[in-house]
Amino acid sequence: MKKLLFSCLFFTISIITQAQLRLPKLISDGMVLQRNTNLKIWGWAKPKEKITLKFKGKSYKTITDVKGDWQVNLPAMEAGGPFTMEILGNTRVEVKDILIGEVWFCSGQSNMVHQLNIHDVTYAKEIAEANNPQIRQFWIPTLTNLQSPQNDFPNGQWKSAVGEDVRPFSAVAYFFAKKIHEKYQVPVGIINASVGGTPIEAWISEQGFKDFAMQKAIIEKNKDTSYVNSLNRKAIPNNTPQAIDEGLKNTKWFETAYTPKNWRNINIPGYWEDQGIKDLNGVVWYRKEIEIPATMVGKSVKVFLGRIVDADELYINGKKIGNTTYLYPQRRYKVPADVLKAGKNIFVVRVTNNAGKGGFVPDKPYCIFSETDSVDLKGTWQYKVGLVFKPSIMIGNMGISAQNQPTALFNAMVSPVINFAVKGFCWYQGESNTGRPHEYAKLLPALINDWRNQWKQDLLPFLYIQLPGFMDYNYLPSESNMAIVREAQLNTLSVPNTEMTVAIDLGEWNDIHPDNKKDVGERLSLSAMKLAYQENITSSGPIFQSSNIEENKITLLFSNIGSGLVSHDGEVLSDFAIAGEDKKFVWAKATIAGDKVIVWSDEVTKPLYVRYAWADNPVNPNLYNKEGLPASPFRTDK
């Protein structure tokens, strides 16, 4: 009986709590509202409850519907603030510090996720000087839903670009917003919905897939939780128990009392598969005595270990300094003042790799330094294998990763925003679709049309970033999935009211997350100024328009030439390839002739096709306009 009474009481309290006047997480202290457009303010309360909203000296009244939903429409307003909003029902809610300005919805995968905090060495000055309460970000946590669109987030809040609060800002979105704020002197709000490693399909609504039969079928299947659970249960790996890492038995290999025996030489940086260790997934220990000057002892000291594939633990003189659990972050560790000593110090790095090449990524910083001293950590170390992983056998399929499923991220991370007025969209994504690049030509326009339909504005500005260069340089003309995705992005300019930011020159061959986020964000702001704010500026580098064949040469015409075409480095134009009917491409000579580029090769007497910067990571794509913006990669043999 007591249990029953308690259950009834709990049920009653739950109903009362749910029926209290409630606002979505987006409508909260510090929010930025879009200027010069009609606004919606919405929330939940008891069914048929009278609601009064007071804002800027005016009152707006409504009544909740039978479900308890309510909405108030506000007229367009000029930029300004801060303001306070009061919402009255059976209870009262106050929203403070509201600004009215520009709101941009920023989304994509990891390069839109990457926070200033991750790039805090490159942007140390920007972080230290951040003091702009009129630039704000609402960071949406990673959420998925396979069943249906959601109406709110479980948590989230607006933060200003002031002090340490700027660290979680998306670096690209921050530099974009900073330029917009500086140009127009109005508040700028960023709503950031981004998840690393996710395909574009996850961000499109079910309605957006009306012309995609395969995705529609997957969405329908995924709504059945028993189906999804059964797949994930079948995917449980048949893991053979692993042995214990030899370096963690008895005397640990990182301890100063340990005497190394039978260790071999190896170089840092570099992958162990390239240095005599064949196809090893497991744990490899690295060890070296490093000479530290007396002037570095007792000081504020940092260690840079570049990037390591996959996970690492750093020990100095037997003490653990830091660790990272996956391959992408740059390794930057602070060394406590009592660790180092003058003279020889024992550095030990335990590296764990699960697949592919393991070790230290080349062409990254490897050093230990203070304000006055620096010691290089590159060179010959010693290594010993601590553990070799036994292969795991998966039973049946691989299961379902919810964040990679069609519409899963839209349902949870986009749907709750669609009532919130925005100026436009910023999109940085595509790496996760390079395995199926041809589909991207249909999926990106589908995303744009879908989001515009969701916001019920057919021409909302849509800005997107073309993928930068990444992976090994290829010094021969070659095929490239990344180039095909870039081509799909280029062709999407045919969708009305879109602008593409070219970033081919801003990548790093060894890092899918290049450090230069500022130039990306600032170039993106040029796209916004041109498209959304109708500025008469050159917002992009040259874009291929047409070609004309004359004897053994092909003449190329471009738009967006600005003040004229140039070779960015003053050298001859490079990364042009040419082919005849056989489509066997060879490197071509190219020269600028006024507003045209003429391409030819003595090896191809009857040319038909040209490609430019057609590679995963073109070596030196140096065609720019005089405004300093690079030409987009392209091909004429579509």
Side-chain angles (χ1 to χ4, degrees):
M1 186 64 177
K2 284 183 179 178
K3 273 189 177 180
L4 181 59
L5 285 171
F6 178 78
S7 298
C8 290
L9 179 61
F10 179 79
F11 181 69
T12 303
I13 291 171
S14 296
I15 291 176
I16 292 170
T17 301
Q18 292 172 11
Q20 285 181 342
L21 180 61
R22 185 168 67 87
L23 299 174
K25 297 296 185 296
L26 265 174
I27 300 176
S28 57
D29 292 349
M31 70 175 170
V32 182
L33 295 174
Q34 178 60 41
R35 64 171 172 164
N36 301 333
T37 191
N38 294 333
L39 301 171
K40 296 176 183 176
I41 303 296
W42 72 101
W44 306 274
K46 287 182 179 179
K48 300 301 180 182
E49 184 175 335
K50 292 180 180 180
I51 303 295
T52 299
L53 185 149
K54 297 180 179 182
F55 188 56
K56 294 187 68 179
K58 294 185 179 180
S59 293
Y60 307 85
K61 297 180 183 295
T62 189
I63 298 176
T64 63
D65 62 18
V66 293
K67 294 181 180 178
D69 297 342
W70 62 268
Q71 178 180 299
V72 169
N73 297 319
L74 302 183
M77 289 173 272
E78 296 294 326
F83 304 109
T84 297
M85 180 181 292
E86 185 180 20
I87 301 101
L88 300 168
N90 293 342
T91 55
R92 176 182 176 275
V93 175
E94 187 176 75
V95 183
K96 296 171 286 188
D97 192 25
I98 300 169
L99 300 179
I100 300 173
E102 299 291 73
V103 181
W104 286 88
F105 185 74
C106 301
S107 186
Q109 55 183 107
S110 52
N111 274 309
M112 187 62 91
V113 172
H114 260 227
Q115 300 108 330
L116 282 166
N117 189 55
I118 296 174
H119 302 272
D120 63 350
V121 173
T122 302
Y123 300 119
K125 184 174 184 290
E126 285 85 351
I127 293 171
E129 295 177 354
N131 184 28
N132 200 325
Q134 291 211 329
I135 298 175
R136 299 179 179 183
Q137 175 180 262
F138 186 94
W139 184 270
I140 298 173
T142 298
L143 301 163
T144 61
N145 193 292
L146 296 175
Q147 281 70 49
S148 61
Q150 302 300 292
N151 62 13
D152 200 6
F153 312 113
N155 52 66
Q157 63 184 131
W158 290 90
K159 290 282 190 179
S160 297
V162 177
E164 290 296 296
D165 281 348
V166 79
R167 286 183 173 274
F169 274 59
S170 159
V172 167
Y174 172 73
F175 289 116
F176 167 82
K178 191 167 183 282
K179 277 294 182 183
I180 298 298
H181 173 68
E182 289 171 354
K183 175 72 174 177
Y184 301 106
Q185 293 298 301
V186 296
V188 180
I190 303 159
I191 302 173
N192 195 311
S194 308
V195 180
T198 53
I200 192 171
E201 295 94 321
W203 296 99
I204 301 173
S205 77
E206 184 174 358
Q207 292 84 353
F209 284 115
K210 61 181 185 297
D211 297 324
F212 296 82
M214 183 180 73
Q215 282 84 359
K216 283 173 65 178
I218 293 172
I219 291 167
E220 203 56 42
K221 282 185 179 179
N222 286 345
K223 289 179 182 179
D224 183 351
T225 54
S226 61
Y227 163 77
V228 173
N229 291 339
S230 68
L231 286 182
N232 289 337
R233 281 195 298 269
K234 291 176 183 177
I236 296 173
N238 178 18
N239 282 327
T240 303
Q242 301 288 355
I244 298 174
D245 181 352
E246 292 293 327
L248 296 177
K249 292 180 179 178
N250 303 320
T251 303
K252 313 295 189 294
W253 291 356
F254 61 81
E255 293 178 347
T256 54
Y258 169 72
T259 302
K261 294 180 181 178
N262 301 319
W263 288 58
R264 301 176 184 274
N265 289 341
I266 196 168
N267 281 319
I268 290 179
Y271 301 105
W272 60 62
E273 276 84 356
D274 298 332
Q275 302 184 68
I277 305 177
K278 186 176 180 179
D279 300 332
L280 172 67
N281 295 327
V283 178
V284 177
W285 293 74
Y286 290 71
R287 188 180 191 277
K288 187 174 185 176
E289 290 184 343
I290 303 292
E291 194 78 21
I292 297 296
T295 52
M296 191 179 282
V297 177
K299 301 290 180 61
S300 176
V301 175
K302 289 183 179 179
V303 172
F304 278 15
L305 285 180
R307 282 182 53 237
I308 297 174
V309 184
D310 290 313
D312 66 281
E313 299 166 13
L314 168 65
Y315 300 88
I316 300 177
N317 296 330
K319 295 182 180 180
K320 186 174 180 178
I321 305 303
N323 73 290
T324 305
T325 58
Y326 64 111
L327 72 163
Y328 290 121
Q330 298 190 42
R331 274 50 173 186
R332 295 165 174 168
Y333 300 130
K334 293 181 179 179
V335 181
D338 62 343
V339 171
L340 296 177
K341 58 185 180 180
K344 291 182 178 180
N345 292 255
I346 300 172
F347 282 58
V348 176
V349 187
R350 179 179 185 262
V351 180
T352 303
N353 184 52
N354 299 302
K357 289 185 175 183
F360 295 76
V361 176
D363 197 21
K364 291 289 182 182
Y366 294 89
C367 60
I368 180 169
F369 64 95
S370 64
E371 290 184 1
T372 57
D373 299 277
S374 179
V375 176
D376 194 357
L377 298 180
K378 297 190 295 294
T380 302
W381 288 51
Q382 291 186 307
Y383 84 89
K384 192 169 185 176
V385 176
L387 176 62
V388 178
F389 292 158
K390 296 178 182 178
S392 294
I393 302 171
M394 300 298 295
I395 303 172
N397 61 70
M398 297 297 291
I400 282 182
S401 171
Q403 70 179 34
N404 295 329
Q405 296 300 301
T407 209
L409 296 176
F410 172 87
N411 285 344
M413 298 179 67
V414 182
S415 177
V417 184
I418 59 177
N419 277 332
F420 204 88
V422 298
K423 182 68 174 181
F425 307 108
C426 297
W427 178 252
Y428 193 171
Q429 189 275 340
E431 298 91 340
S432 288
N433 284 89
T434 54
R436 297 168 286 113
H438 295 284
E439 297 177 14
Y440 208 75
K442 293 182 179 179
L443 289 168
L444 182 54
L447 175 95
I448 296 169
N449 292 328
D450 179 43
W451 284 10
R452 287 173 171 174
N453 288 335
Q454 296 292 334
W455 265 264
K456 295 182 172 59
Q457 294 189 57
D458 293 340
L459 291 175
L460 262 179
F462 193 97
L463 319 176
Y464 59 96
I465 297 159
Q466 191 183 49
L467 295 184
F470 173 56
M471 295 191 289
D472 294 343
Y473 296 112
N474 193 335
Y475 284 83
L476 292 173
S478 60
E479 300 301 325
S480 163
N481 281 3
M482 288 195 78
I484 295 172
V485 170
R486 291 188 197 109
E487 179 181 66
Q489 293 170 325
L490 174 63
N491 292 342
T492 300
L493 285 173
S494 63
V495 177
N497 233 35
T498 58
E499 275 278 325
M500 181 182 74
T501 296
V502 179
I504 190 64
D505 57 331
L506 300 180
E508 297 178 23
W509 75 268
N510 57 8
D511 201 333
I512 200 169
H513 305 123
D515 219 21
N516 188 347
K517 296 290 189 279
K518 186 174 184 178
D519 284 344
V520 177
E522 292 188 348
R523 286 184 189 175
L524 188 66
S525 73
L526 293 177
S527 295
M529 291 173 195
K530 175 79 170 182
L531 183 65
Y533 302 106
Q534 289 82 53
E535 299 285 347
N536 184 22
I537 61 171
T538 301
S539 60
S540 165
I543 301 293
F544 169 72
Q545 291 296 297
S546 63
S547 62
N548 182 43
I549 302 171
E550 297 176 2
E551 297 181 352
N552 68 330
K553 295 181 179 179
I554 298 180
T555 300
L556 307 172
L557 294 175
F558 297 84
S559 63
N560 289 36
I561 62 174
S563 303
L565 300 173
V566 295
S567 164
H568 186 58
D569 54 8
E571 300 294 321
V572 297
L573 293 182
S574 59
D575 277 276
F576 282 90
I578 196 167
E581 188 176 8
D582 60 3
K583 290 192 176 182
K584 293 181 178 178
F585 283 87
V586 298
W587 292 127
K589 297 176 182 178
T591 187
I592 296 169
D595 60 356
K596 303 172 184 177
V597 173
I598 300 172
V599 184
W600 75 97
S601 169
D602 295 338
E603 298 178 50
V604 182
T605 56
K606 294 182 179 180
L608 291 177
Y609 310 111
V610 169
R611 292 178 174 182
Y612 172 69
W614 192 263
D616 293 337
N617 194 13
V619 175
N620 183 35
N622 60 351
L623 178 63
Y624 283 62
N625 55 30
K626 289 182 179 178
E627 282 70 18
L629 299 171
S632 167
F634 68 91
R635 63 176 173 174
T636 66
D637 58 307
K638 298 176 185 177

